[in-house]
Amino acid sequence: MVPRDISMICMSLVTLVPVVLSLNCTGKQDGVYDQGCRSYTKCDNGTAVVMFCITRTAYNRDTFTCDDAFNVPPPCGTYRECSALDDGTYPDIDMMCTSYYTCNRGQFFGHSLCPAGLVFNQGLQVCDWRFNVSKPCGTLPATDLAMTIDEYVTV
């Protein structure tokens, strides 16, 4: 494993640990209460359990479990080409920027969902309110750092 891989793992753990700690399952019925494209958190007998999807699978909101990505509706089941992109995260324009995807070493690493009402702010690398985000995802004028929708479509 190279240092970049270790940093991605650590970043994932830093992101997931607060999610598990913030989900209090006391008194809740068993079921899924938080989901992303690569994992979901469910309550099981009063305990929060994080379930991770294995390679080439994604969380399927219709079946409440990980499934072959070809069976999963967009954005989680949608593949994006990363061979010409730098390492990083990119808004999914086709999903009106309500999700984003990760590329690393030319490989597609899947989608992540923004919370309801938010879009991906590529400049800050976070989900944000539309009024804080440059076009094409938000309402602010496009900047030199932001790609135009035509640039995204041609990538």
Side-chain angles (χ1 to χ4, degrees):
M1 208 181 280
V2 295
R4 184 181 293 186
D5 294 335
I6 293 170
S7 67
M8 296 233 353
I9 292 169
C10 291
M11 190 169 55
S12 296
L13 289 174
V14 168
T15 303
L16 290 173
V17 170
V19 171
V20 174
L21 295 177
S22 68
L23 182 60
N24 182 355
C25 290
T26 305
K28 289 189 178 187
Q29 291 183 344
D30 288 354
V32 175
Y33 286 89
D34 187 31
Q35 69 267 344
C37 290
R38 303 285 300 141
S39 66
Y40 60 99
T41 306
K42 66 179 185 173
C43 289
D44 189 12
N45 292 321
T47 303
V49 180
V50 177
M51 306 298 292
F52 296 96
C53 299
I54 61 172
T55 304
R56 301 193 198 307
T57 66
Y59 179 73
N60 188 330
R61 292 180 178 192
D62 297 334
T63 63
F64 306 105
T65 188
C66 295
D67 195 354
D68 185 298
F70 290 108
N71 299 328
V72 179
C76 295
T78 306
Y79 174 82
R80 295 291 179 235
E81 180 58 50
C82 288
S83 60
L85 297 176
D86 292 333
D87 292 355
T89 51
Y90 298 88
D92 191 331
I93 302 297
D94 293 340
M95 297 305 298
M96 298 173 21
C97 304
T98 59
S99 68
Y100 56 97
Y101 59 96
T102 303
C103 295
N104 188 9
R105 297 183 182 162
Q107 299 295 313
F108 173 68
F109 273 73
H111 279 86
S112 298
L113 305 173
C114 287
L118 302 182
V119 296
F120 187 68
N121 183 329
Q122 189 169 10
L124 297 177
Q125 296 287 291
V126 297
C127 293
D128 202 347
W129 299 106
R130 282 192 190 276
F131 59 80
N132 291 329
V133 181
S134 297
K135 291 180 181 179
C137 294
T139 57
L140 293 177
T143 65
D144 290 341
L145 297 175
M147 296 173 86
T148 66
I149 194 147
D150 292 332
E151 290 173 314
Y152 279 111
V153 171
T154 59
V155 170

